[in-house]
Structure formats: C-alpha cells, structure tokens
Amino acid sequence: MRNAHSKSAFVAHAFLWIGAIYSVFPFVWMLMTSLRESGDAFNPASLLWPRHWDAVTNYSRAFSETPLLRFLINGVVVCLGVLFLQLATALPCGYALAKLQFRGKALLTTAILICFAIPFQAVSLPLFVGLAQFDLLNSYFALISPFSVSVFAILMLAQYLRGYPEEVLEAARLDGLSEGQILRRLILPASGPAIAAFAIFSVSAHWNDLYWPLIVITNPDLAPPTLGVLFFRSEESGDQIGPLMASTTMVTLPLVVFFILAQRRFVQGVTMTGLK
C-alpha cells in the first residue's frame, strides 16, 4: 500500500513539475532575452544564460524610444478605475442576492447567470458604435466604462456573503442600522478576502487586455501596457528583440508584484467562496 501510494505521489508531483516548468519557461526566456544582445535571442547555445549581456542598452531603449512609463501609468489608471466601479456595483448587488429577500430574486439571479454566459466580443460592436456616436473613443472612459459592472464579481461576492452570520445582521438592524450602514460598516470589512481574490482576477484581465484597447484607442498617449508593447513592436519591426523583451518584462513585473502582495488574501478568498 505504501509503495503504491508513493508511486502515485511521485507521478502526481512529476506532472506538477512538468506543468510548472512548461508555464514558467516563457517568462524565464523573456527575462533572459531582455538581458542579452538581440542577435543571441534565438541562439540555442545561450537559450537560458546569455553569452553577451546587454541589459543596460535594452532597458534604456525600452524607456527612451517609447513612452513605456506612460503606458504603465495608463494601465494603473484603467485597472484601478475598472476595479473601483466593479466593486462599487458588485458589493451591494452581491449582498442583496445573498442576504435580502425581495420579489423577483430568482428571476434576477437567472438573468445574471445568462449575462455571465454572453462573451464580451458579442457586445463589443454595439459598444464601439455607441462610444463613436458620442465621440468618446480615445479616452479613459472608453477603456473603463464597458467593464464597470462585473457579473463574475456579483456572483463571487454573493457566494462569499452567504456564509456571513444572519445573527450579526439581525443584531445590527435591531440597533437601528440601515442596510447601507450595514453594507459599509459590516459587509465591506468582512469581504476583504473575496475582494482581494476578485481584484487579482480583474487587474490581471484588464492589465493584459489587448482586444478592447486595440479597438477604441489609436492615440499612443492613452495606450495601456499591452497595446503600448504592440506599438513598440511595430516601430521596431520585431527586429530588436532585446528592447522588446525588456519592455514586456516591465509590463509583466507589476502583475507579479501585485500577486505576491495579495496571494495570501487571494487563497483565503478563493477558498471561502468555494471557487477552488
């Protein structure tokens, strides 16, 4: 029995290690390529360790030849704007679905689930036409407003808040607190783990989003990070791999730091919402 268990554990860990290496290898290659000369990017002899270091030139060109810092600032503005609006709408909606009783609740829940199944690409054309009609293209509003309501956030917070004690809510109502005060004083602080978990999903999705910015943004000054890297590649015709990978590394780094800082809350929130 022990030998069989040891063999199954070994096989499971082997598959996990293979999956981890497969997932991490592109990032390792990106980082190493950002530190080497462009001519050695596809040289098998220096695949994982550069023979000729050129990190200073690559990173200096990444910042000097394109407004990379501006792209990063745009990404922060868009991601924080989207996250704030999503939480501002999802928290009261999730609380209502989880803890309040009202007419049409089942129908509303069904409608939310149906909306969750609609891909964004299906509504992108009407959104683009509407923004164009009001002359709102090439703006932060165009990047943020279509994502101000997140069905996923509503469902996630509703699932999380179903485990909140009813006795605490009843005691708060007996003390004279309104539903809005309960939401601010009790539900918001208690939802920290779920908010942190959703924040990682939201920030990662919108920081890496290329589809929507590519449609609504033509001004490089408003480009988020992924679109900015695309502009850089177009200018360089894909030949200067070192500076391109340097800019890509700088675009990826904030997400890595963000996840490291929030991973404890993320794991706690995902576990408590039953998404694991």
Side-chain angles (χ1 to χ4, degrees):
M1 290 291 292
R2 290 183 178 177
N3 290 335
H5 178 72
S6 300
K7 290 180 180 179
S8 61
F10 174 79
V11 172
H13 282 85
F15 275 109
L16 288 174
W17 273 106
I18 292 172
I21 294 172
Y22 181 80
S23 301
V24 170
F25 178 77
F27 297 97
V28 174
W29 183 86
M30 175 187 70
L31 178 61
M32 290 296 102
T33 303
S34 72
L35 302 176
R36 77 182 85 194
E37 290 183 350
S38 297
D40 284 341
F42 301 103
N43 188 346
S46 60
L47 184 62
L48 295 178
W49 193 256
R51 293 190 306 171
H52 304 95
W53 299 86
D54 204 13
V56 175
T57 301
N58 290 337
Y59 281 89
S60 62
R61 290 187 61 185
F63 280 96
S64 63
E65 297 185 8
T66 59
L68 183 58
L69 184 60
R70 178 67 182 181
F71 298 154
L72 296 174
I73 293 174
N74 291 339
V76 171
V77 171
V78 171
C79 289
L80 291 182
V82 169
L83 180 61
F84 174 79
L85 292 176
Q86 287 177 337
L87 293 177
T89 55
L91 192 62
C93 291
Y95 170 66
L97 289 177
K99 293 300 181 182
L100 301 182
Q101 299 299 324
F102 54 90
R103 184 177 299 177
K105 180 178 178 179
L107 181 62
L108 179 61
T109 303
T110 303
I112 292 175
L113 290 172
I114 292 174
C115 292
F116 188 61
I118 300 175
F120 178 74
Q121 289 78 4
V123 297
S124 58
L125 181 58
L127 286 171
F128 174 81
V129 173
L131 291 169
Q133 289 290 330
F134 288 97
D135 196 24
L136 291 173
L137 299 177
N138 278 310
S139 66
Y140 285 133
F141 182 85
L143 290 170
I144 295 173
S145 59
F147 309 101
S148 56
V149 177
S150 171
V151 176
F152 175 67
I154 294 173
L155 295 175
M156 183 177 182
L157 287 170
Q159 177 67 21
Y160 178 84
L161 293 174
R162 285 191 179 97
Y164 193 83
E166 291 284 354
E167 297 80 7
V168 177
L169 299 178
E170 291 299 328
R173 294 186 182 107
L174 290 175
D175 288 339
L177 293 182
S178 66
E179 297 299 334
Q181 290 173 323
I182 291 174
L183 189 64
R184 292 194 305 271
R185 298 184 185 183
L186 299 178
I187 300 301
L188 179 59
S191 301
I195 290 174
F198 172 72
I200 290 181
F201 286 116
S202 176
V203 171
S204 298
H206 296 290
W207 185 272
N208 292 322
D209 185 26
L210 178 62
Y211 175 78
W212 184 243
L214 190 61
I215 294 175
V216 298
I217 297 297
T218 57
N219 183 359
D221 291 335
L222 292 171
T226 49
L227 185 59
V229 171
L230 185 64
F231 286 153
F232 181 88
R233 185 181 182 279
S234 298
E235 292 177 8
E236 296 297 330
S237 301
D239 295 328
Q240 301 300 321
I241 302 297
L244 176 61
M245 290 298 104
S247 63
T248 306
T249 301
M250 295 305 301
V251 167
T252 307
L253 183 61
L255 280 183
V256 176
V257 174
F258 178 66
F259 180 79
I260 291 174
L261 294 177
Q263 64 175 335
R264 184 177 178 182
R265 285 280 191 172
F266 172 76
V267 173
Q268 182 183 0
V270 169
T271 303
M272 296 180 71
T273 52
L275 295 176
K276 190 174 67 173

